[in-house]
Amino acid sequence: MTNNRVAVYPGTFDPITNGHTDLVTRAARVFPKVVIAIAESPHKKPLFSLEERIRLTRNEMANLDNVEVVGFSNLLVEFVQQIGGSVIIRGLRAVSDFEYEFQLASMNRHIAPDVETMFLTPDEDYSFISSSLVKEVARLNGDVSEFVCKDVQSAMRERFAELG
């Protein structure tokens, strides 16, 4: 592996969870630079704006010098090529994730043969965590402190209070 490898970890990160940070931390040990690419994804109707998701993610990942957080709204492989990336990092929580992720990786390889996909699995403590589940628990006033950082907990509490 050459030292100019840039890995891109894409997602909506609505919000960033401890599972995400686990994968980024491990990817940052393997690659000299990891870019967390936050998709605008308006069709998913995110709880937080793109700017809020970027801010929350930057705050959470501030301790890693080789990690950058940016937003994007174009095709992922085009974004990866624009920033000089060579690897897409994808997380696999369970076997059920594999089929969809395999299809995405195959499509990306077809569009951009020079961009590889690498799958990482989260620590077992985080294998069941998803942003959707965390939001649902938080929306119903459940304790999400084991799943997200304090900034994200506060931001979700405020947002759900605003939404009533």
Side-chain angles (χ1 to χ4, degrees), residues 95-140:
V95 174
S96 57
D97 289 344
F98 181 76
E99 186 173 351
Y100 175 71
E101 292 295 341
F102 182 78
Q103 288 176 326
L104 283 180
S106 296
M107 178 61 80
N108 288 337
R109 188 178 317 111
H110 181 78
I111 296 169
D114 57 324
V115 177
E116 294 293 339
T117 299
M118 177 182 281
F119 297 109
L120 293 176
T121 58
D123 183 281
E124 296 79 29
D125 291 342
Y126 307 124
S127 63
F128 62 94
I129 299 173
S130 73
S131 294
S132 299
L133 282 175
V134 168
K135 285 187 290 193
E136 186 62 11
V137 171
R139 186 180 68 77
L140 297 170

Side-chain angles (χ1 to χ4, degrees), residues 134-151:
V134 168
K135 285 187 290 193
E136 186 62 11
V137 171
R139 186 180 68 77
L140 297 170
N141 296 314
D143 180 9
V144 294
S145 60
E146 291 183 56
F147 315 128
V148 295
C149 68
K150 288 182 181 183
D151 283 351

Side-chain angles (χ1 to χ4, degrees), residues 33-59:
K33 182 175 182 181
V34 176
V35 175
I36 301 174
I38 302 182
E40 189 171 26
S41 299
H43 64 282
K44 287 188 173 182
K45 298 184 167 87
L47 180 64
F48 296 107
S49 70
L50 178 61
E51 293 76 21
E52 290 169 320
R53 290 180 279 141
I54 290 170
R55 179 183 52 77
L56 289 167
T57 302
R58 281 183 178 154
N59 289 348

Side-chain angles (χ1 to χ4, degrees), residues 13-41:
F13 300 96
D14 186 43
I16 188 165
T17 68
N18 292 343
H20 294 130
T21 59
D22 175 60
L23 290 181
V24 172
T25 300
R26 288 189 293 112
R29 290 193 305 248
V30 176
F31 295 95
K33 182 175 182 181
V34 176
V35 175
I36 301 174
I38 302 182
E40 189 171 26
S41 299

